[in-house]
Amino acid sequence: MLANAALAAMWVGLTCYALFGGADFGAGLWDLLAGGSERGRPPRRLIEHSIGPVWETNHVWLIFVVVMLWTGFSPVFAAVMSTLYIPLTLTALGIIARGAAFAFRKVSTEVWQQRLFGGFFALSSVVTPYFLGSVAGSVASGRVPPGLAKGNLVTSWLNPTSALGGVLAVLTCAFLAAVYLSGDAARTGEDDLAVYFRHRALVTGMVTGVVALAGIAVLHADAPQLFHGLTHRALPLVVVSAVLGVFSLALLMRARLTSVRVTAAAAVAAILWSWGVAQYPAMLPPSVTVRDSASQSSVLGASLAALAAGALLLVPSLLWLYSLFQRRPAPATGDGERGA
């Protein structure tokens, strides 16, 4: 019971990281593709304005997931970290480079400096979710055996399922970012940018759907246990995700930029939970289960109690932070100041 509660809490944290941190990564991709200095200035300005207040905050969810895995399922933590230390190290370096470059670009005054730091920010925003997706594909396809570094250090994350996971992670992040940014632009009255990002959300959403459909064949050949779980136990969630994805595209076509935020986020959450349901009760497919890898009840109980106490402070603070920066700007008064 406690092990399942800890696993559910960890999956909630993973979902939050995908929805919030993922959108930050996707914004970096659109920064990369925005164009030259003049043409790319408006979308880059919106991207910087949108993610500036929260880009560090979103990594709280990743830290939470790692800590829960470490305390609640330490054998799984040890196996994943030792077998997949190459992509995980590259992920950590990408997060560091991305954050440093984003901060340095903001205070740089020379054009060449802005381009240099902007390039690091954008490229690391692409490779980091790719490596995270490849790690998920490694675990889901059963390439991480129990024990310290028992899996192949290269082929464990360089394989068809990991490549599929990496590509889908990048595309999903780009889709969420475009959806969120189109809404931000509409909220601030920048209609041209709202159209700009709405079109990109439409294209990215359709490409993501095509890749997901092609991925069925990949999973059937390379990860049969995961394929079976997705097409049987988790099939309702897969269908829900597909329906919500199509509905999101319809809302984008009709420029319903507030409603589509909810449906797009729900579609991503549904597919993430379908992975968890398809794999459950295995933590390290095919044989290591939740029961096998869970910590003692005393450790799990203390972890969940600490989580409950911390959530009383963290969740309201995060909700307040997000709400503050989602308010519609007040109209300017006659003397040039903001209205009350």
Side-chain angles (χ1 to χ4, degrees), residues 57 70 83 98 104 110 118 123 150 158 165 208 220 232 258 305 329:
T57 305
W70 174 39
T83 293
R98 179 179 183 274
F104 286 137
E110 300 291 335
L123 289 174
K150 296 297 184 181
L158 288 178
T208 304
H220 184 269
H232 288 79
T258 300

Side-chain angles (χ1 to χ4, degrees), residues 224-239 277-278:
Q225 184 173 342
L226 176 62
F227 174 82
H228 183 270
L230 289 172
T231 54
H232 288 79
R233 180 190 300 169
L235 184 59
L237 283 171
V238 174
V239 172
V277 171

Side-chain angles (χ1 to χ4, degrees), residues 110-244:
E110 300 291 335
V111 174
W112 71 267
Q113 293 174 331
Q114 294 173 349
R115 288 176 175 173
L116 174 65
F117 293 128
F120 273 105
F121 165 71
L123 289 174
S124 58
S125 296
V126 176
V127 299
T128 303
Y130 178 85
F131 287 129
L132 286 171
S134 70
V135 167
S138 301
V139 175
S141 60
R143 288 182 165 92
V144 182
L148 293 177
K150 296 297 184 181
N152 189 290
L153 299 181
V154 177
T155 60
S156 60
W157 61 280
L158 288 178
N159 57 77
T161 302
S162 290
L164 175 65
V167 172
L168 282 176
V170 173
L171 290 173
T172 300
C173 291
F175 174 66
L176 285 175
V179 168
Y180 294 169
L181 288 167
S182 64
D184 283 351
R187 180 173 48 83
T188 55
E190 299 176 277
D191 295 336
D192 290 345
L193 283 177
V195 173
Y196 174 93
F197 281 111
R198 181 167 67 89
H199 288 166
R200 280 151 180 77
L202 275 168
V203 173
T204 310
M206 289 186 284
V207 171
T208 304
V210 171
V211 172
L213 287 174
I216 295 174
V218 174
L219 295 180
H220 184 269
D222 191 60
Q225 184 173 342
L226 176 62
F227 174 82
H228 183 270
L230 289 172
T231 54
H232 288 79
R233 180 190 300 169
L235 184 59
L237 283 171
V238 174
V239 172
V240 167
S241 179
V243 171
L244 287 172

